[in-house]
Amino acid sequence: VLRLERTVTCATGKNESPTTRGCFTISDRGESFYNDRLQSGAKYWVRFNGSYLFHSVALNKDGTVKDPVLGMRRSDGCVRMSMEDIKWFYDNIPQGTAVRVN
């Protein structure tokens, strides 16, 4: 049984790099990352399907916000959230939790 815990405004993958959709299970997580190839990083990443992550808005290498826009297709496939929402997600949604990405 699915239960709605919180409604969150997100940014998903652009048309050329769409977010994978469906039902998945939360696996590993980490506090931050930076991808030199994409010239972008994020805080509080939570893996849901291979290289697809829930994470904060996009950050520059120095940790400043690179792209704060939510509610649109903006990412390279991951699901971006505000710092407040992703911190809540990171702290409250444990490994093994089923999630549905629409």
Side-chain angles (χ1 to χ4, degrees), residues 40-57:
S40 187
K43 287 190 175 264
Y44 306 116
W45 62 268
V46 178
R47 188 178 317 277
F48 68 92
N49 183 26
S51 63
Y52 292 92
L53 311 172
F54 295 106
H55 61 66
S56 73
V57 293

Side-chain angles (χ1 to χ4, degrees), residues 2-96:
L2 297 176
R3 182 178 82 224
L4 179 65
E5 287 287 333
R6 186 176 181 132
T7 300
V8 175
T9 300
C10 302
T12 56
K14 300 173 278 200
N15 289 339
E16 60 271 17
S17 55
T19 301
T20 184
R21 300 185 188 285
C23 293
F24 307 100
T25 302
I26 297 297
S27 58
D28 55 328
R29 65 188 63 227
E31 289 191 15
S32 66
F33 74 89
Y34 186 80
N35 184 312
D36 283 318
R37 181 179 62 81
L38 299 175
Q39 296 290 295
S40 187
K43 287 190 175 264
Y44 306 116
W45 62 268
V46 178
R47 188 178 317 277
F48 68 92
N49 183 26
S51 63
Y52 292 92
L53 311 172
F54 295 106
H55 61 66
S56 73
V57 293
L59 302 177
N60 293 306
K61 198 169 196 169
D62 66 2
T64 59
V65 175
K66 175 180 180 175
D67 182 2
V69 177
L70 296 171
M72 301 176 68
R73 293 180 174 194
R74 301 280 288 198
S75 78
D76 290 302
C78 291
V79 178
R80 297 178 184 171
M81 301 180 201
S82 70
M83 286 293 189
E84 177 185 343
D85 286 331
I86 192 57
K87 180 67 167 108
W88 178 89
F89 193 89
Y90 184 88
D91 289 342
N92 291 282
I93 306 300
Q95 185 169 339

